[in-house]
Each structure stands twice: as structure tokens, then as C-alpha cells.
Amino acid sequence: MYQLLDPSRFVVFITGATSGFGAAAARRYVAAGGKVIATGRREDRLIALRDELGHDNCHIVPLDVRDRAAMEAAVAAIPAPFDAINIVLANAGLALGLQSAAEADLDDWQTMIDTNISGLVYTVRLLLPGMIARGGGHVVTLGSVAGEFAYPGGSVYAATKAFVKHFALAIRSDLQGKNVRVTDIQPGLTETEFSLVRFKGDEGKAAQPYSDTKAMSAEDIAESIFWATSLPEHVNVNKIQLMATTQAIGPFDIYREK
């Protein structure tokens, strides 16, 4: 039987920690004895999270991952002992809208690209050198089943998550010999604020994907992240793809002339 790594040695940098997977992961790691650097745009939520988890366990950095200069400054200014980062959870991301490609809002597309792709690569690139210098670590990216199974109205969102999947696989090869593991987490139907953000606060539309079904929770995904990072250092989980039991891959979309 595997001897799990001591979770108290974990120092975890989390983007998008103000809700959903990021906040759940922060709670999971601190509950296991780890320390967390929680980042996000909503400072009030970060303060509440730090108050909940304790100042000795949670250091907060209000920022937008799309802002490269802010990311660079934040990483450079992390105080000890939080600066001994050995897990990077590149979680910040979003979907906006569900219109067809010919009708979608270009600003929404750009926001998804800037957040899900640019924010991700800034996060990983800025934190990798420190982990390598300290002897190793673990990069966890937040993808989606949409990165493998496209759906109507999800064109750019799905494309950004396909980028995440391949980025994780590519840096896995780049990091050979550096003792840095890479795992892409690919959740399916999970009830968080995801749909509320996608539909810009429309609670009725946001509730529809979860109606009359049993979706996964943010805590379910956080547990899978924790498990992957808790395995012995010689074990790398390339990806974890999760779906609710009530969700499956749908039929092909076939257009039929009338």
C-alpha cells in the first residue's frame, strides 16, 4: 500500500479561490495541514476565506490573472513561509454565453481567451522556476470535459479547455527530470457559480443545467485534486476526467433537412 505524502508540507498557490473549485480546494488543503496562497478578483471573498482558514494558513492576493504585471508583482512579493510553493492550482477560468458562433459576443470570447488561456500560462510560467529551484512540485490545471467533447454554443469555451489539456501534456514533457508533476482536472456537470457567471447573473437560466439531476459539487472536484497531489512523488496522474453519474456523452449532433 502506498504511503501518502505528508500534506502538511503542501504550500498551494490557487487562482480563482473566491468560489467554486478554488475555494473548496483551499479548504481541503488547510484542513489537511497545508498552507494556501488564495488569489482572485473579489477581495471581500478572499478576506472572508482568510478569516475562515486563519491568517497563519491562508495568505491572500487580490488580482486578476489576465493582468500579467499584477501576476508578476504578486508572485515576487509572496512572504515566507508561503513562498515555498510546491503546488500550483491554475483554477481561474469561466464560460460566458451559450450563443452560436455567428451570434456570440466577441467581448465574451476575448474574456474567455484572456482568462482561460493567458491567465493560465502566466500563472504556470511565473511559478515553475521557483518549484524547480526548490526541488520539485506539482502543477494542476483546471480543464473540462468540454475540452474533449464539444457542444453547441460552447465553441470558444471548449477550445480554451482543449488548450488547457494540451498545454498540460506539453509541459509534462518539458519538465522531465525536474521532479515537477502535471495533472489536468477535467470536470463535467458540477453545481457551482459557473452557470451563474455564464448567464451573467440570470438565476433562472443558471439553474436549468442542474434541474432534476444530481450534479457533482466543488468539494468532489477538490477531493480529486487533493488525491492526485497526495500520491507519492514517483506517480504522475496525467488527467482526471469526472462526470456526474447522471451525465454521459451525448449523441452526435446531426442536421436533417426537412
Side-chain angles (χ1 to χ4, degrees), residues 138-149:
H138 202 141
V139 174
V140 181
T141 56
L142 237 301
S144 167
V145 295
E148 298 216 19
F149 312 110

Side-chain angles (χ1 to χ4, degrees), residues 60-79:
I60 62 171
V61 185
L63 58 77
D64 187 330
V65 293
R66 297 175 294 177
D67 186 337
R68 178 175 164 182
M71 286 290 294
E72 291 172 338
V75 171
I78 296 171

Side-chain angles (χ1 to χ4, degrees), residues 53-232:
L53 300 180
H55 289 231
D56 291 339
N57 302 318
C58 180
H59 174 71
I60 62 171
V61 185
L63 58 77
D64 187 330
V65 293
R66 297 175 294 177
D67 186 337
R68 178 175 164 182
M71 286 290 294
E72 291 172 338
V75 171
I78 296 171
F82 293 96
D83 58 344
I85 297 161
N86 48 33
I87 298 175
V88 175
L89 175 52
N91 165 72
L94 77 168
L96 290 172
L98 201 60
Q99 301 94 337
S100 70
E103 300 167 343
D105 187 321
L106 274 172
D107 289 336
D108 287 349
W109 277 8
Q110 192 64 58
T111 298
M112 286 186 279
I113 292 167
D114 291 344
T115 306
N116 301 358
I117 296 178
S118 296
L120 170 87
V121 300
Y122 296 160
T123 302
V124 174
R125 175 60 183 84
L126 290 170
L127 289 160
L128 267 179
M131 288 199 294
I132 292 170
R134 287 186 291 275
H138 202 141
V139 174
V140 181
T141 56
L142 237 301
S144 167
V145 295
E148 298 216 19
F149 312 110
Y151 54 84
S155 54
V156 167
Y157 175 71
T160 65
K161 293 306 183 177
F163 175 93
V164 174
K165 175 181 68 175
H166 287 287
F167 180 69
L169 289 171
I171 64 171
R172 174 94 170 80
S173 294
D174 290 343
L175 293 167
Q176 285 286 62
K178 305 297 185 185
N179 197 34
V180 177
R181 299 183 289 175
V182 183
T183 302
D184 186 35
I185 307 293
Q186 302 174 1
L189 186 68
T190 312
E191 189 165 3
T192 63
E193 294 181 5
F194 177 85
S195 282
L196 195 62
V197 172
R198 163 167 264 171
F199 296 113
K200 301 180 180 179
D202 187 322
E203 294 183 359
K205 285 185 178 180
Q208 287 176 5
Y210 315 114
S211 178
D212 300 320
T213 192
K214 178 65 175 176
M216 295 183 293
S217 68
E219 290 72 25
D220 295 328
I221 308 308
E223 191 62 37
S224 74
I225 294 166
F226 181 79
W227 173 78
T229 57
S230 297
L231 291 173

Side-chain angles (χ1 to χ4, degrees), residues 221-243:
I221 308 308
E223 191 62 37
S224 74
I225 294 166
F226 181 79
W227 173 78
T229 57
S230 297
L231 291 173
E233 290 183 351
H234 69 280
V235 179
N236 188 95
V237 179
N238 291 335
K239 71 176 181 180
I240 301 177
Q241 187 177 100
L242 308 97
M243 283 185 168

